[in-house]
Amino acid sequence: MGLLTALEGAYGDAADALRIDGYAMSREQLLGAATAVADRVAGAPALAVLARPTAETVAAVVGGLLAGVPVVPLPPDSGPKEREHILRDSGATLLAGGAAEEGLEPVPVELTARSGSSYAEPAPERTAFVLYTSGTTGAPKGALIPRSAVAAGLDGLADAWQWTAEDTLAHGLPLFHVHGLVLGVLGALRTGSRLVHTGRPTPEAYAAARGSLYFGVPTVWSRIANDAESAAALHSARLLVSGSAPLPVPVFERLVALTGQAPIERYGMTESLITVSTRADGERRPGSVGLPLDGVRTRLVGEDGAPVPHDGETVGELQVAGPTLFAGYLHRPDANAEAWTADGWFRTGDVAVIGPDGFHRIVGRASVDLIKSGGYRIGAGEVEAALRDHPAVADAAVVGAPDTDLGQAVVAYVIADGPVTGDQLTAFVAERLSVHKRPRRVVLVDELPRNAMGKVLKKQLLDLA
């Protein structure tokens, strides 16, 4: 069985099995165009793809996978320095979707092309993607994602979400991340579900997609929750999936009220793909990312290396093991040594709590979301959730700013949606959480800095703090 099983025997399928930003194509048409790309790239060390939300991007990615050539998605908005680093570090010699560049041969992608070639399925351990991390602590690192990890991750999600060929998957996410590309495109090509990529992820576009399964990041869901008419059109959907950042509880509750559907959350990283998720047939608990996928193991570890109890309260670093993990960082033996424990577990760098029932709640990144204040360990996510419960708060981000007395002080950056003061918000949090978790300072802002996937860039907030 190949990686993209829905392309096997695709002949005679629906003419609009895939619709990418308004362009409709059958899986047979995609296979023909992708095989023509494979003819051009076979044997190359790596294929870079300028990953715009287009049918040409999908054909180029699939062509690289058919030929067994590692695919390197390039964010279309990447700056010259980041782009140069990715191309040089990955060893790509070919570029699809972009103009000719020095040292790179352009690969044309023609959606009407056909090829009679056939390619044997590459070995499972072969690299499918070189996905570059955000590079918040230096130059982006290239994570080597094996074909076997992609297959295991998608099969685990198909089981957890009851995702089948009867579904229509709809989303408008970028095609250079795990969420939009691996889940949002390859997932449809493995399960056989219909795919509607909306181009831009607007509420109106999601409403018009008529999907049974929707993917979105919290920013997308927040906008839909503020558009009652568009949200009502999602009432017939089977599953609303949120990921890439925590979904605020007020947005969760408003989606339930407007769509009749409680959204599900899942957790993953570039290096691990998706490892934990709420199940379609299980409890959908606000603020929780659910249970490990089949074959995935998780554990919490304290700063001393000792196991942390699964009591729903104690915070620890989340470590994972299982078949969805990456094979290591390209050209980075130092980073590989730091990423893995001696007994073979991947250090996610995220902090979490696990309840007695196994449900996981992600607190945030250990580097910016685990605040050590006055001898206490405080999860930023818990304080953020409490702030968002205030009716005058649209969103909030919490960081630990250096403090000569406390070590770190809890500082909150808040987007207000009504009249409120910092003192009122501090008191509001102190009434709901332990007093030591209250913000020592509240800064009202018009917006929070975010990346392309909607994650708050907390290092920028730390610089401000």
Side-chain angles (χ1 to χ4, degrees):
M1 179 183 294
L3 176 60
L4 308 178
T5 51
L7 289 181
E8 300 172 6
Y11 299 99
D13 63 318
D16 62 347
L18 302 101
R19 184 177 293 275
I20 316 294
D21 196 18
Y23 184 90
M25 62 194 311
S26 66
R27 283 187 284 268
E28 178 183 354
Q29 182 183 351
L30 171 62
L31 181 60
T35 304
V37 172
D39 291 343
R40 298 185 178 102
V41 306
L47 167 67
V49 178
L50 190 60
R52 299 186 180 96
T54 64
E56 286 83 359
T57 291
V58 174
V61 169
V62 173
L65 294 174
L66 290 176
V69 174
V71 175
V72 185
L74 274 175
D77 61 348
S78 60
K81 187 174 180 180
E82 178 185 4
R83 179 189 179 99
E84 180 185 359
H85 168 75
I86 291 174
L87 291 172
R88 182 181 67 253
D89 187 70
S90 67
T93 57
L94 304 173
L95 174 64
E101 296 190 22
E102 183 178 353
L104 290 171
E105 179 184 342
V107 176
V109 181
E110 301 172 9
L111 297 178
T112 57
R114 293 291 184 271
S115 170
S117 303
S118 61
Y119 291 86
E121 178 67 16
E125 66 272 14
R126 289 280 295 274
T127 299
F129 293 100
V130 185
L131 297 178
Y132 279 79
T133 62
S134 57
T136 55
T137 57
K141 300 188 294 288
L144 301 169
I145 312 296
R147 300 174 73 93
S148 59
V150 175
L154 293 177
D155 289 347
L157 291 176
D159 174 66
W161 297 345
Q162 300 176 357
W163 185 0
T164 72
E166 300 302 313
D167 279 306
T168 293
L169 168 61
H171 72 91
L173 300 173
L175 298 187
F176 50 88
H177 283 297
V178 168
H179 198 169
L181 179 59
V182 178
L183 275 62
V185 173
L186 302 195
L189 297 179
R190 187 164 177 85
T191 63
S193 67
R194 186 167 172 261
L195 171 63
V196 178
H197 190 286
T198 61
R200 296 181 62 244
T202 64
E204 297 81 6
Y206 270 46
R210 301 187 180 278
S212 62
L213 174 62
Y214 282 87
F215 291 169
V217 297
T219 300
V220 171
W221 292 122
S222 178
R223 290 170 180 169
I224 291 172
N226 288 325
D227 186 332
E229 183 178 352
S230 294
L234 273 55
H235 201 279
S236 60
R238 185 179 65 78
L239 211 61
L240 310 180
V241 181
S242 183
S244 297
L247 182 69
V249 173
V251 176
F252 179 104
E253 293 172 343
R254 186 158 174 78
L255 286 173
V256 173
L258 291 173
T259 70
Q261 282 280 356
I264 70 170
E265 293 192 70
R266 86 299 180 283
Y267 166 78
M269 299 178 64
T270 299
E271 295 90 339
S272 69
L273 306 183
I274 307 304
T275 52
V276 182
S277 179
T278 304
R279 297 185 63 88
D281 57 359
E283 180 185 356
R284 305 181 188 182
R285 188 180 301 173
S288 169
V289 294
L291 303 166
L293 299 182
D294 285 350
V296 173
R297 294 173 291 149
T298 63
R299 69 184 185 188
L300 293 181
V301 177
E303 290 181 308
D304 58 358
V308 167
H310 295 184
D311 57 10
E313 294 290 338
T314 308
V315 174
E317 183 197 14
L318 182 64
Q319 298 180 353
V320 300
T324 67
L325 292 179
F326 74 136
Y329 296 112
L330 184 64
H331 308 315
R332 291 295 303 273
D334 56 331
N336 289 329
E338 293 176 3
W340 302 89
T341 66
D343 55 350
W345 290 68
F346 174 62
R347 296 185 173 102
T348 67
D350 286 322
V351 286
V353 296
I354 301 177
D357 56 3
F359 269 63
H360 291 51
R361 182 164 56 84
I362 306 301
V363 175
R365 296 296 292 168
S367 58
V368 292
D369 291 312
L370 182 58
I371 302 170
K372 300 171 186 177
S373 182
Y376 294 100
R377 291 159 56 89
I378 302 166
E382 187 176 19
V383 184
E384 290 164 355
L387 285 165
R388 292 186 189 113
D389 283 341
H390 194 286
V393 171
D395 204 355
V398 169
V399 297
D403 185 271
T404 54
D405 178 42
L406 299 170
Q408 288 181 305
V410 178
V411 178
Y413 290 84
V414 173
I415 300 175
D417 193 25
V420 69
T421 67
D423 288 344
Q424 289 171 333
L425 292 176
T426 295
F428 183 82
V429 173
E431 291 171 358
R432 284 155 178 77
L433 303 177
S434 300
V435 173
H436 67 265
K437 297 179 181 179
R438 71 191 186 281
R440 300 288 176 155
R441 183 157 58 98
V442 175
V443 182
L444 299 178
V445 296
D446 293 329
E447 60 182 12
L448 297 169
R450 298 179 185 275
N451 65 13
M453 296 302 289
K455 292 183 180 180
V456 175
L457 300 173
K458 290 199 171 182
K459 295 216 180 268
Q460 292 187 19
L461 295 180
L462 279 170
D463 291 340
L464 293 175

